[in-house]
CSV table of all heavy atoms in Angstrom, one decimal:
chain,number,residue,atom,x,y,z
Q,475,LEU,N,11.2,1.8,-26.4
Q,475,LEU,CA,11.8,3.2,-26.4
Q,475,LEU,C,12.6,3.3,-25.1
Q,475,LEU,O,13.6,3.9,-25.1
Q,475,LEU,CB,10.6,4.2,-26.5
Q,475,LEU,CG,11.0,5.6,-26.3
Q,475,LEU,CD1,12.0,6.0,-27.5
Q,475,LEU,CD2,9.8,6.5,-26.4
Q,476,GLU,N,12.0,2.9,-24.0
Q,476,GLU,CA,12.7,3.1,-22.7
Q,476,GLU,C,14.1,2.4,-22.7
Q,476,GLU,O,15.1,2.9,-22.0
Q,476,GLU,CB,11.9,2.7,-21.5
Q,476,GLU,CG,11.7,1.2,-21.4
Q,476,GLU,CD,11.1,0.8,-20.0
Q,476,GLU,OE1,10.9,1.7,-19.1
Q,476,GLU,OE2,10.9,-0.4,-19.8
Q,477,ASP,N,14.2,1.3,-23.3
Q,477,ASP,CA,15.5,0.6,-23.4
Q,477,ASP,C,16.6,1.4,-24.1
Q,477,ASP,O,17.7,1.6,-23.6
Q,477,ASP,CB,15.4,-0.7,-24.1
Q,477,ASP,CG,14.5,-1.7,-23.4
Q,477,ASP,OD1,14.7,-1.9,-22.2
Q,477,ASP,OD2,13.5,-2.2,-24.0
Q,478,TYR,N,16.3,2.0,-25.2
Q,478,TYR,CA,17.2,2.9,-25.9
Q,478,TYR,C,17.5,4.1,-25.0
Q,478,TYR,O,18.6,4.5,-24.9
Q,478,TYR,CB,16.6,3.3,-27.3
Q,478,TYR,CG,16.6,2.2,-28.3
Q,478,TYR,CD1,15.7,1.2,-28.3
Q,478,TYR,CD2,17.6,2.2,-29.3
Q,478,TYR,CE1,15.7,0.2,-29.3
Q,478,TYR,CE2,17.6,1.3,-30.3
Q,478,TYR,CZ,16.6,0.2,-30.2
Q,478,TYR,OH,16.7,-0.8,-31.2
Q,479,ALA,N,16.5,4.7,-24.5
Q,479,ALA,CA,16.6,6.0,-23.8
Q,479,ALA,C,17.5,5.9,-22.6
Q,479,ALA,O,18.5,6.7,-22.4
Q,479,ALA,CB,15.3,6.6,-23.4
Q,480,TRP,N,17.2,4.8,-21.8
Q,480,TRP,CA,18.0,4.7,-20.5
Q,480,TRP,C,19.4,4.2,-20.8
Q,480,TRP,O,20.4,4.5,-20.1
Q,480,TRP,CB,17.3,3.8,-19.5
Q,480,TRP,CG,16.2,4.5,-18.8
Q,480,TRP,CD1,14.9,4.4,-18.9
Q,480,TRP,CD2,16.4,5.6,-17.8
Q,480,TRP,NE1,14.3,5.3,-18.1
Q,480,TRP,CE2,15.2,6.1,-17.4
Q,480,TRP,CE3,17.6,6.2,-17.3
Q,480,TRP,CZ2,15.0,7.1,-16.4
Q,480,TRP,CZ3,17.5,7.2,-16.4
Q,480,TRP,CH2,16.2,7.6,-16.0
Q,481,LEU,N,19.6,3.4,-21.8
Q,481,LEU,CA,21.0,2.9,-22.1
Q,481,LEU,C,21.7,4.1,-22.6
Q,481,LEU,O,22.9,4.3,-22.2
Q,481,LEU,CB,20.9,1.9,-23.2
Q,481,LEU,CG,22.3,1.3,-23.6
Q,481,LEU,CD1,23.1,0.9,-22.4
Q,481,LEU,CD2,22.1,0.1,-24.6
Q,482,VAL,N,21.2,5.0,-23.4
Q,482,VAL,CA,21.9,6.2,-23.8
Q,482,VAL,C,22.2,7.1,-22.6
Q,482,VAL,O,23.4,7.5,-22.5
Q,482,VAL,CB,21.1,7.0,-24.9
Q,482,VAL,CG1,21.7,8.4,-25.1
Q,482,VAL,CG2,20.9,6.3,-26.2
Q,483,THR,N,21.3,7.3,-21.7
Q,483,THR,CA,21.5,8.2,-20.6
Q,483,THR,C,22.6,7.5,-19.7
Q,483,THR,O,23.5,8.2,-19.1
Q,483,THR,CB,20.2,8.3,-19.7
Q,483,THR,OG1,19.3,9.1,-20.6
Q,483,THR,CG2,20.5,9.1,-18.5
Q,484,GLY,N,22.6,6.2,-19.5
Q,484,GLY,CA,23.6,5.5,-18.7
Q,484,GLY,C,25.0,5.6,-19.3
Q,484,GLY,O,26.0,5.9,-18.6
Q,485,LEU,N,25.1,5.4,-20.7
Q,485,LEU,CA,26.4,5.6,-21.3
Q,485,LEU,C,26.9,7.0,-21.2
Q,485,LEU,O,28.2,7.2,-21.0
Q,485,LEU,CB,26.3,5.2,-22.8
Q,485,LEU,CG,25.9,3.7,-23.1
Q,485,LEU,CD1,25.8,3.6,-24.6
Q,485,LEU,CD2,26.9,2.8,-22.5
Q,486,LEU,N,26.1,8.0,-21.3
Q,486,LEU,CA,26.5,9.4,-21.1
Q,486,LEU,C,26.9,9.7,-19.7
Q,486,LEU,O,27.8,10.5,-19.5
Q,486,LEU,CB,25.4,10.4,-21.5
Q,486,LEU,CG,25.0,10.3,-23.0
Q,486,LEU,CD1,23.9,11.3,-23.4
Q,486,LEU,CD2,26.3,10.7,-23.9
Q,487,ALA,N,26.2,9.0,-18.7
Q,487,ALA,CA,26.7,9.1,-17.3
Q,487,ALA,C,28.0,8.6,-17.0
Q,487,ALA,O,28.9,9.1,-16.4
Q,487,ALA,CB,25.6,8.5,-16.4
Q,488,VAL,N,28.3,7.4,-17.7
Q,488,VAL,CA,29.6,6.8,-17.6
Q,488,VAL,C,30.7,7.6,-18.3
Q,488,VAL,O,31.8,7.8,-17.7
Q,488,VAL,CB,29.6,5.3,-18.1
Q,488,VAL,CG1,31.0,4.8,-18.3
Q,488,VAL,CG2,28.8,4.4,-17.2
Q,489,TYR,N,30.3,8.2,-19.4
Q,489,TYR,CA,31.2,9.1,-20.1
Q,489,TYR,C,31.6,10.3,-19.2
Q,489,TYR,O,32.9,10.6,-19.1
Q,489,TYR,CB,30.6,9.6,-21.4
Q,489,TYR,CG,31.2,10.6,-22.2
Q,489,TYR,CD1,32.6,10.6,-22.4
Q,489,TYR,CD2,30.5,11.7,-22.6
Q,489,TYR,CE1,33.2,11.6,-23.2
Q,489,TYR,CE2,31.1,12.7,-23.4
Q,489,TYR,CZ,32.5,12.6,-23.6
Q,489,TYR,OH,33.1,13.6,-24.3
Q,490,GLN,N,30.7,10.9,-18.5
Q,490,GLN,CA,31.0,12.0,-17.6
Q,490,GLN,C,31.8,11.6,-16.4
Q,490,GLN,O,32.7,12.3,-16.0
Q,490,GLN,CB,29.7,12.7,-17.2
Q,490,GLN,CG,28.9,13.3,-18.3
Q,490,GLN,CD,27.6,13.9,-17.9
Q,490,GLN,OE1,27.5,14.9,-17.2
Q,490,GLN,NE2,26.5,13.2,-18.1
Q,491,ALA,N,31.5,10.4,-15.9
Q,491,ALA,CA,32.1,10.0,-14.7
Q,491,ALA,C,33.6,9.6,-14.9
Q,491,ALA,O,34.5,9.7,-14.0
Q,491,ALA,CB,31.4,8.8,-14.0
Q,492,THR,N,33.9,9.0,-16.1
Q,492,THR,CA,35.2,8.6,-16.4
Q,492,THR,C,36.0,9.4,-17.4
Q,492,THR,O,37.2,9.4,-17.4
Q,492,THR,CB,35.2,7.1,-17.0
Q,492,THR,OG1,34.5,7.3,-18.3
Q,492,THR,CG2,34.4,6.2,-16.1
Q,493,GLY,N,35.3,10.3,-18.1
Q,493,GLY,CA,36.0,11.1,-19.1
Q,493,GLY,C,36.5,10.2,-20.3
Q,493,GLY,O,37.1,10.7,-21.2
Q,494,ASP,N,36.0,8.9,-20.4
Q,494,ASP,CA,36.4,8.1,-21.5
Q,494,ASP,C,35.6,8.2,-22.7
Q,494,ASP,O,34.3,7.9,-22.6
Q,494,ASP,CB,36.4,6.7,-21.0
Q,494,ASP,CG,37.0,5.6,-22.0
Q,494,ASP,OD1,37.2,6.0,-23.1
Q,494,ASP,OD2,37.4,4.5,-21.5
Q,495,ALA,N,36.1,8.7,-23.8
Q,495,ALA,CA,35.3,9.1,-24.9
Q,495,ALA,C,34.7,7.8,-25.7
Q,495,ALA,O,33.9,8.0,-26.6
Q,495,ALA,CB,36.1,9.9,-25.9
Q,496,GLN,N,35.2,6.6,-25.3
Q,496,GLN,CA,34.7,5.4,-26.0
Q,496,GLN,C,33.2,5.2,-25.8
Q,496,GLN,O,32.5,4.5,-26.6
Q,496,GLN,CB,35.4,4.2,-25.4
Q,496,GLN,CG,35.0,3.8,-24.0
Q,496,GLN,CD,35.4,2.3,-23.7
Q,496,GLN,OE1,35.1,1.4,-24.4
Q,496,GLN,NE2,36.0,2.2,-22.5
Q,497,TRP,N,32.6,5.9,-24.8
Q,497,TRP,CA,31.1,5.7,-24.5
Q,497,TRP,C,30.3,6.7,-25.4
Q,497,TRP,O,29.1,6.4,-25.5
Q,497,TRP,CB,30.8,5.9,-23.0
Q,497,TRP,CG,31.6,5.0,-22.2
Q,497,TRP,CD1,32.7,5.3,-21.4
Q,497,TRP,CD2,31.5,3.6,-22.1
Q,497,TRP,NE1,33.2,4.2,-20.7
Q,497,TRP,CE2,32.5,3.1,-21.2
Q,497,TRP,CE3,30.6,2.6,-22.7
Q,497,TRP,CZ2,32.6,1.7,-20.8
Q,497,TRP,CZ3,30.8,1.3,-22.3
Q,497,TRP,CH2,31.8,0.9,-21.4
Q,498,LEU,N,30.9,7.8,-25.8
Q,498,LEU,CA,30.1,8.7,-26.6
Q,498,LEU,C,29.6,8.2,-27.9
Q,498,LEU,O,28.4,8.5,-28.3
Q,498,LEU,CB,30.9,10.0,-26.7
Q,498,LEU,CG,30.2,11.2,-27.4
Q,498,LEU,CD1,29.1,11.6,-26.5
Q,498,LEU,CD2,31.2,12.4,-27.5
Q,499,GLY,N,30.5,7.5,-28.6
Q,499,GLY,CA,30.0,7.0,-29.9
Q,499,GLY,C,28.9,6.1,-29.9
Q,499,GLY,O,27.8,6.2,-30.6
Q,500,PRO,N,28.9,5.0,-29.0
Q,500,PRO,CA,27.7,4.2,-28.9
Q,500,PRO,C,26.5,5.0,-28.5
Q,500,PRO,O,25.3,4.6,-28.9
Q,500,PRO,CB,28.1,3.1,-27.9
Q,500,PRO,CG,29.6,3.1,-28.0
Q,500,PRO,CD,30.0,4.5,-28.3
Side-chain angles (χ1 to χ4, degrees):
L475 179 60
E476 68 166 0
D477 295 307
Y478 286 77
W480 278 111
L481 182 50
V482 169
T483 298
L485 295 179
L486 294 176
V488 168
Y489 172 47
Q490 294 176 76
T492 64
D494 189 342
Q496 71 162 310
W497 304 109
L498 185 58

